[in-house]
Amino acid sequence: MVHFLQSVGLLFFGSRLKRISDSFLLDVNKVYQNLGIPFEAAWFPVFFILSQKRQVAIREIAEKLGISHSAASQMVSNLQDRGLIESAVDEDDARKKLVTFTAEGAALLLRVEPVWEAMQEAMEQLMAEGEHSQKILDALSDIENSIRQQNVLHRVEAQLKQKAAGVL
């Protein structure tokens, strides 16, 4: 049976992505909770970046995640408030804040890394189940690249201008 959102098509594209994302994040948080690991899915991006490079500038976090410096700063502040990471001014550039794990954050990282491996394997299994699922990451990359060229706002505005001018 085709779900209503699937039957409507592209008008519900964002709603479907959000529904999938919400469901995924809820399940991921339940995994951590069921394992007794005090970790939230929202912390993953910063934790993962720090797991790869033990000291990183907030600006680099923002660039890697494609978010504003302010949003990256808020993520870092949230983790600092929990005592999981700390920041210090870069000795070479006082404008730069470098972020590192605290001892508590490093210990938490050791607990979540096996969960990340299991998650990776579970997601690979999920992607292998559907005929088109294996192409989703390529499709998402295509969409993200197209949005970087021209976002949805500008695309809709262009369509409305064309309609108003009687072009369509």
Side-chain angles (χ1 to χ4, degrees), residues 114-135:
V115 178
W116 295 351
E117 288 177 29
M119 241 180 269
Q120 176 71 27
E121 292 165 4
M123 292 304 295
E124 287 171 3
Q125 180 184 18
L126 179 64
M127 293 302 127
E129 290 176 7
E131 178 184 349
H132 304 289
S133 300
Q134 295 173 358
K135 299 173 189 165

Side-chain angles (χ1 to χ4, degrees), residues 12-26:
F12 276 92
F13 181 72
S15 297
R16 289 177 70 188
L17 287 176
K18 181 163 180 9
R19 184 173 50 92
I20 290 168
S21 175
D22 289 348
S23 173
F24 177 77
L25 294 175
L26 182 66

Side-chain angles (χ1 to χ4, degrees), residues 14-85:
S15 297
R16 289 177 70 188
L17 287 176
K18 181 163 180 9
R19 184 173 50 92
I20 290 168
S21 175
D22 289 348
S23 173
F24 177 77
L25 294 175
L26 182 66
D27 282 350
V28 168
N29 281 330
K30 282 181 186 175
V31 167
Y32 293 124
Q33 182 180 16
N34 291 347
L35 293 170
I37 300 174
F39 191 81
E40 296 177 21
W43 304 347
F44 172 76
V46 174
F47 257 71
F48 184 80
I49 290 169
L50 280 172
S51 77
Q52 304 296 298
K53 190 175 180 181
R54 298 297 177 157
Q55 185 177 52
V56 64
I58 294 175
R59 180 163 308 288
E60 186 176 345
I61 292 170
E63 289 170 1
K64 285 184 182 285
L65 299 178
I67 60 176
S68 69
H69 185 276
S70 175
S73 250
Q74 288 176 3
M75 293 171 81
V76 165
S77 291
N78 184 15
L79 291 168
Q80 281 180 301
D81 291 345
R82 287 173 165 69
L84 300 172
I85 62 173

Side-chain angles (χ1 to χ4, degrees), residues 38 47 82-85 101-110:
F47 257 71
R82 287 173 165 69
L84 300 172
I85 62 173
F101 283 118
T102 61
E104 186 180 344
L108 183 56
L109 175 65
L110 293 176

